[in-house]
Amino acid sequence: MAKNAWMRNGFDSWLLGMEALQVITLRTMKLAAGGAAAQTEAQRMVSEKIAAGLDLQMRALTGGLGTSADGAAAKVLAHYRRKVRANRRRLSKAAS
């Protein structure tokens, strides 16, 4: 699979989707519980999405995503997977 960059990107997209589903589930449970923690999580969720998007936009404008389409796609996927994975770990600890 490593020889086919688009196949790797497809697999990474699938993994991102699975991890995002876990984060959505954990966040939904936290938001459903209500209270100050839910309010903080809702604000954090929105600000993280804006920051992640702006960071990627800056990378694209400064050439940080590379020159090939498959390379840029891989960097975008890696960027979002790091963010989603960090949220999954954080929210999993809080749910325990």
Side-chain angles (χ1 to χ4, degrees):
M1 186 165 18
K3 292 182 181 180
N4 187 333
W6 286 111
M7 184 73 96
R8 169 49 83 191
N9 287 339
F11 183 69
D12 286 343
S13 295
W14 180 81
L15 288 173
L16 174 61
M18 293 295 104
E19 292 170 336
L21 180 60
Q22 293 171 344
V23 171
I24 291 167
T25 301
L26 291 166
R27 276 192 164 147
T28 299
M29 291 186 324
K30 188 165 198 156
L31 293 173
Q39 179 68 29
T40 301
E41 187 62 33
Q43 291 172 343
R44 181 181 194 151
M45 178 175 60
V46 172
S47 64
E48 283 178 347
K49 287 181 184 345
I50 293 169
L54 289 174
D55 184 37
L56 267 181
Q57 188 174 27
M58 183 58 70
R59 287 184 191 190
L61 292 172
T62 59
L65 296 180
T67 56
S68 69
D70 59 331
K75 288 180 181 179
V76 168
L77 286 166
H79 172 76
Y80 281 118
R81 283 197 66 205
R82 277 190 302 275
K83 304 291 185 186
V84 170
R85 192 175 310 119
N87 277 320
R88 183 175 47 87
R89 287 183 187 137
R90 178 181 58 80
L91 289 164
S92 293
K93 288 178 186 175
S96 300

